[in-house]
Amino acid sequence: MILNFLIASVFFLNCSSNDDPKETQTEETPEEVVSYDIVVDAKGTGDFTTVQAALDAVAFSKKIETKIFIKDGVYKEKLEVPLNKNNISLIGESKEKVILTYDDYASKKNSGGLEIGTSGSASFIVTGNSFKAQNITFENSSGPVGQAVAVRVDGDKIVFDNCKFLGFQDTLYPRSTTSRQYYKNCYIEGTTDFIFGASTAVFDQCEIFAKTGGAYLTAASTDEKNPYGLVFLNCKLTTNSGNSSYYLGRPWRNYAKTVFVKCEMAAHIKPEGWHNWSKPEAETTTFYAEYLSTGSGANAASRVSWSHQLTLEQVTNQYTLSAIFKDWKPAL
């Protein structure tokens, strides 16, 4: 009797298991927890209320990354990541609401009565190496007063990801000849020469916005020995200026190198494309080139004779990140 009862019970349980709906037990995946070494909040809830205080707190010559989280707010500070303060990452809470701004300009006088100059006008200066910024707006708020730099970069292995750069003349200054910089999904606006300098800098899928009142997007000063200067990959050249009002670039130094690869160009780009800065000798030393430009500002047949249209082979072999940056692979 007991044996028959056990067999019947097992049979009943099996039938119930097959007939009833099954509950699937799923293991909940915990949300990714991002930890930061330092938190900046202008309202006082973080470790510091100013960005410079957070930068000052980082030890010199650190070999591991220091992550600094910046909460939404407007931080009016003249900032610098000093030499030998390496491996610092600034992460903003949101690109539109984390604004690092200052209002110096080149002709402004210092305490000694001398002009601070273009380099001295920078709102944000990066001299340390292996620096990264993400989700931040960098601004020079002095207005249309001549040269006024929002960001100046001297360090090597620098990454800006999903950032904005706001200004008028000389907004972004990739300055050092030994500096390699990577800008991904960024927005850069200005008027005259608003991306200029001697560094090797790649702008990948960025928007380059030319404001009314200017005439030149770029002014490279590439060293003669450097094979690359300013390189724009899959960028959009936009504007609120008139048709045929802007050149792609002019040579601040005679060996300037600037290349646009698969960029969409609005009608503000002049048909001739490039200007020699009234230096005829620069026409034989500069390297200005394009590949598959599109849009109403793309006029390959009308470009100046001393510029170049690249071939597929050149782009494939020479304009990849590994070819440009050599032993450095930018990490977002």
Side-chain angles (χ1 to χ4, degrees), residues 17 30 38 40 66 91 101 121 138 140 167 179 189 218 252-253 282 296 315 317 325:
S17 175
I38 299 172
V40 179
T66 299
I91 302 99
T101 183
S121 73
F138 299 90
N140 188 307
S179 174
E189 71 169 31
T218 69
W252 183 16
R253 299 287 183 266
S296 50
V315 170
N317 295 331
F325 291 138

Side-chain angles (χ1 to χ4, degrees), residues 40-46 48-50 71-75:
V40 179
D41 183 12
K43 297 178 181 178
T45 67
F48 299 99
T49 58
T50 67
K71 290 194 173 184
D72 287 348
V74 177
Y75 299 82

Side-chain angles (χ1 to χ4, degrees), residues 11-208:
F11 176 78
F12 175 78
L13 289 172
N14 285 339
C15 290
S16 299
S17 175
N18 290 334
D19 293 339
D20 294 342
K22 294 182 180 178
E23 271 190 352
T24 303
Q25 296 291 330
T26 58
E27 184 176 344
E28 291 187 7
T29 303
E31 291 185 10
E32 183 182 357
V33 177
V34 180
S35 61
Y36 302 98
D37 300 292
I38 299 172
V39 175
V40 179
D41 183 12
K43 297 178 181 178
T45 67
D47 301 298
F48 299 99
T49 58
T50 67
V51 177
Q52 191 63 58
L55 294 171
D56 292 343
V58 179
F60 284 99
S61 302
K62 281 193 70 175
K63 297 186 183 301
I64 60 173
E65 181 183 25
T66 299
K67 290 184 177 181
I68 300 175
F69 182 72
I70 307 174
K71 290 194 173 184
D72 287 348
V74 177
Y75 299 82
K76 187 174 181 181
E77 306 178 56
K78 193 174 178 72
L79 297 165
E80 182 172 4
V81 181
L83 184 67
N84 294 326
K85 288 217 172 184
N86 303 326
N87 299 297
I88 292 176
S89 293
L90 296 184
I91 302 99
E93 185 174 0
S94 65
K95 177 178 65 175
E96 301 297 335
K97 294 182 180 180
V98 175
I99 302 172
L100 309 186
T101 183
Y102 208 71
D103 55 2
D104 274 351
Y105 50 93
S107 60
K108 186 177 181 178
K109 300 292 195 299
N110 60 20
S111 57
L114 301 175
E115 293 186 354
I116 63 175
T118 302
S119 293
S121 73
S123 302
F124 190 93
I125 299 170
V126 183
T127 311
N129 296 328
S130 300
F131 169 84
K132 181 167 71 174
Q134 187 176 47
N135 307 333
I136 296 173
T137 292
F138 299 90
E139 179 186 45
N140 188 307
S141 59
S142 61
V145 292
Q147 296 97 324
V149 176
V151 174
R152 190 191 96 198
V153 181
D154 295 351
D156 187 29
K157 301 179 181 178
I158 309 299
V159 173
F160 289 92
D161 176 26
N162 194 41
C163 291
K164 294 179 73 173
F165 302 83
L166 307 181
F168 284 82
Q169 184 173 351
D170 292 1
T171 304
L172 178 59
Y173 189 6
R175 181 170 177 256
S176 173
T177 60
T178 59
S179 174
R180 291 168 292 178
Q181 303 166 32
Y182 181 60
Y183 298 79
K184 179 66 179 289
N185 191 33
C186 290
Y187 171 90
I188 306 160
E189 71 169 31
T191 53
T192 298
D193 304 334
F194 63 96
I195 303 174
F196 73 109
S199 303
T200 296
V202 173
F203 302 87
D204 190 353
Q205 300 176 63
C206 295
E207 181 178 357
I208 314 301

Side-chain angles (χ1 to χ4, degrees), residues 171-320:
T171 304
L172 178 59
Y173 189 6
R175 181 170 177 256
S176 173
T177 60
T178 59
S179 174
R180 291 168 292 178
Q181 303 166 32
Y182 181 60
Y183 298 79
K184 179 66 179 289
N185 191 33
C186 290
Y187 171 90
I188 306 160
E189 71 169 31
T191 53
T192 298
D193 304 334
F194 63 96
I195 303 174
F196 73 109
S199 303
T200 296
V202 173
F203 302 87
D204 190 353
Q205 300 176 63
C206 295
E207 181 178 357
I208 314 301
F209 185 83
K211 302 199 294 191
T212 298
Y216 308 92
L217 300 185
T218 69
S221 55
T222 318
D223 187 270
E224 180 180 359
K225 297 177 182 177
N226 285 353
Y228 301 98
L230 308 176
V231 179
F232 297 84
L233 306 175
N234 302 293
C235 292
K236 288 188 176 182
L237 278 52
T238 58
T239 192
N240 64 353
S241 185
N243 291 351
S244 299
S245 56
Y246 268 85
Y247 291 95
L248 293 170
R250 60 175 178 170
W252 183 16
R253 299 287 183 266
N254 280 352
Y255 290 89
K257 297 178 180 70
T258 304
V259 173
F260 290 86
V261 175
K262 294 183 179 179
C263 293
E264 182 181 333
M265 303 179 179
H268 63 306
I269 302 303
K270 290 177 178 286
E272 58 268 40
W274 308 92
H275 192 277
N276 67 5
W277 207 321
S278 301
K279 298 184 289 189
E281 71 278 7
E283 296 182 7
T284 62
T285 57
T286 58
F287 187 80
Y288 286 156
E290 298 170 69
Y291 178 74
L292 294 185
S293 297
T294 60
S296 50
N299 293 286
S302 300
R303 295 298 194 237
V304 294
S305 61
W306 42 279
S307 67
H308 306 271
Q309 296 294 321
L310 299 176
T311 65
L312 175 59
E313 182 180 8
Q314 284 176 300
V315 170
T316 302
N317 295 331
Q318 299 174 29
Y319 288 92
T320 62

